[in-house]
Amino acid sequence: TTQTCTAQGFFNELGNLATPLYNASLCVYYVLVIRDGWKEDQIRTTAEPLMHLIPITVAFSIAILGIPFTLYNNSGWLCWIASYPGKCEGDTCTRGVHANIFRWVHYAIIWSAILSVTVGMYSIYRKVRDEERIQSQENDEDAVRRGVKSKKVAIQAGLFVGALYLTWIFTTITRIYQITTGNGNFVLLLLMAIFFPLQGFFNCIIYLRPRYLRTKSRNRDAPMRRLLYLSLYHESHPIHGLQLNRSDSGEGDTNGYRLRPRETDEEWRRRRSSTASFYSIRNSGRKPVPRLNDTDDASCAINTVMAVASVSDYKNTKSNETEAQDDAMVAVEESSVDSDVMEALEESSVDSDAAVPPPAVQEMVDK
């Protein structure tokens, strides 16, 4: 019916515009964090509201305008912006008189977003490459001279941008062909129907790719099926503490494999890439943004929201122990305990690496 076709066309237009615009917002986030060094607080208060406001406002405005202009009609294989009846022009159309105008506006918005993503990703690559050149002048590391980081960034950025082009190129060509000739083309419609719905799939594969490579580097002898399965879980998941690693001696629990024990929180923080997702970090507080030369895997910055999970972002364990001991000292002096407890306190202060105070100290702290 006309009502159901209008509803389908409205949501198609809403999603079609919002998706590339949000991809552009995500690219802006990468540029601000990686290239310009913005902090999370600065982005949250300044840029993030606009990153949501612009895509939502533009998408809803165009989608809502399609209702009073009766733009949503049969466009070939779904309901979208089209004139009705087909191949009508001007006053001969009963619905969608201005359909062609809105189509040009639609694709102008989409390709503006795609081109902005292309420029943003290229600027990130240039930033990483320039940083490597500066490092190559300061030291003589092979990885810096070969441009390892910039190559990783270039590949990940190329995949991210390529997914957008592959998703929208056939759709755009199909609609331009329809506008200029007034006819449809089966091959173009088929390619459009295949690639257009796959944008989410492409983004998922690109997002999981760095995680898969890191998992493979830790489990070089594991089968691909196992690696793909592990890549579906975040690196903080307990399953990564029970990965099967080939032992050097060939001896292990099962066919030369051994179970790797779960890493401690300290080991996990040291291993985590400094460009890991801010929203995926456990206990993610507001963390400073690193310089590019501090990153472990620069390619992670392209497919995730970047933030820092370094040891300096957490309270130093040793300083906490010292503060606890000082507080216990004050409590002991105020309560006038015997000299044995005081000697225990002094002994505990010497061993600053102890994670747990002596029983006498703990008893006084509890009191």
Side-chain angles (χ1 to χ4, degrees):
T1 65
T2 301
Q3 291 75 16
T4 56
C5 187
T6 299
Q8 185 189 57
F10 171 82
F11 287 108
N12 277 334
E13 180 67 1
L14 180 64
N16 290 346
L17 288 178
T19 300
L21 289 174
Y22 260 109
N23 276 320
S25 295
L26 186 61
C27 179
V28 170
Y29 183 94
Y30 295 149
V31 171
L32 293 177
V33 173
I34 301 173
R35 191 192 69 181
D36 299 336
W38 281 34
K39 298 184 183 299
E40 288 293 333
D41 290 340
Q42 188 178 4
I43 292 177
R44 188 180 294 109
T45 57
T46 305
E48 186 174 0
L50 294 177
M51 293 179 186
H52 295 291
L53 180 63
I54 294 176
I56 293 175
T57 302
V58 174
F60 268 101
S61 298
I62 301 298
I64 291 174
L65 283 175
I67 297 177
F69 282 96
T70 64
L71 298 177
Y72 302 127
N73 303 290
N74 182 15
S75 64
W77 67 294
L78 48 73
C79 290
W80 186 57
I81 299 176
S83 56
Y84 181 84
K87 299 182 181 181
C88 68
E89 295 181 0
D91 296 336
T92 61
C93 299
T94 58
R95 290 174 58 86
V97 177
H98 305 287
N100 288 341
I101 297 176
F102 274 86
R103 282 191 176 189
W104 286 114
V105 172
H106 170 89
Y107 284 109
I109 294 173
I110 288 176
W111 283 101
S112 296
I114 294 175
L115 291 177
S116 67
V117 171
T118 305
V119 173
M121 289 298 174
Y122 179 73
S123 68
I124 293 174
Y125 163 73
R126 287 286 301 272
K127 175 68 174 180
V128 177
R129 190 185 65 180
D130 293 343
E131 288 284 338
E132 280 189 324
R133 288 179 177 177
I134 295 174
Q135 291 181 12
S136 65
Q137 297 174 358
E138 297 176 352
N139 53 65
D140 198 28
E141 295 180 4
D142 291 338
V144 175
R145 286 188 281 106
R146 293 196 306 268
V148 174
K149 282 184 181 180
S150 59
K151 289 180 180 178
K152 289 181 179 180
V153 172
I155 292 174
Q156 194 70 10
L159 291 174
F160 186 79
V161 175
L164 286 175
Y165 281 93
L166 190 60
T167 300
W168 287 101
I169 188 65
F170 297 111
T171 302
T172 305
I173 294 175
T174 300
R175 297 309 184 187
I176 293 177
Y177 183 84
Q178 289 178 342
I179 293 174
T180 55
T181 65
N183 299 316
N185 183 282
F186 175 77
V187 176
L188 290 176
L189 284 173
L190 180 63
L191 292 173
M192 172 183 173
I194 292 174
F195 287 97
F196 184 64
L198 292 178
Q199 181 173 354
F201 174 76
F202 292 149
N203 287 338
C204 179
I205 296 299
I206 296 169
Y207 175 81
L208 291 177
R209 176 180 172 272
R211 188 185 298 178
Y212 172 82
L213 295 177
R214 291 194 298 271
T215 303
K216 184 178 180 180
S217 66
R218 296 192 300 267
N219 305 270
R220 296 186 180 277
D221 297 326
M224 180 180 293
R225 184 175 62 180
R226 174 69 176 173
L227 295 176
L228 291 173
Y229 175 74
L230 292 174
S231 300
L232 297 177
Y233 293 89
H234 191 267
E235 293 175 348
S236 62
H237 194 277
I239 194 173
H240 288 280
L242 298 176
Q243 295 175 19
L244 291 175
N245 292 342
R246 175 72 68 176
S247 60
D248 297 335
S249 61
E251 299 177 356
D253 296 335
T254 307
N255 297 327
Y257 285 87
R258 61 180 174 80
L259 291 178
R260 180 171 61 84
R262 285 198 65 186
E263 58 191 0
T264 64
D265 287 345
E266 185 72 13
E267 293 172 340
W268 182 86
R269 291 165 186 155
R270 290 181 181 275
R271 178 181 58 77
R272 278 292 290 171
S273 168
S274 59
T275 57
S277 170
F278 172 78
Y279 297 104
S280 65
I281 296 174
R282 73 177 96 166
N283 298 328
S284 57
R286 297 175 179 177
K287 302 177 176 60
V289 178
R291 296 181 302 173
L292 285 175
N293 56 3
D294 293 331
T295 58
D296 295 330
D297 189 355
S299 64
C300 303
I302 304 303
N303 65 339
T304 74
V305 184
M306 191 184 95
V308 178
S310 61
V311 180
S312 61
D313 298 325
Y314 297 86
K315 293 182 178 179
N316 189 282
T317 305
K318 184 179 294 185
S319 63
N320 291 342
E321 294 167 359
T322 304
E323 292 177 0
Q325 292 170 0
D326 292 340
D327 293 340
M329 280 286 194
V330 173
V332 170
E333 292 174 356
E334 292 178 352
S335 58
S336 301
V337 295
D338 56 18
S339 58
D340 294 335
V341 177
M342 292 296 295
E343 292 176 359
L345 286 172
E346 293 174 356
E347 292 176 359
S348 65
S349 62
V350 174
D351 185 11
S352 60
D353 293 331
V356 180
V361 176
Q362 184 64 48
E363 181 180 358
M364 290 306 304
V365 172
D366 293 339
K367 289 181 178 181

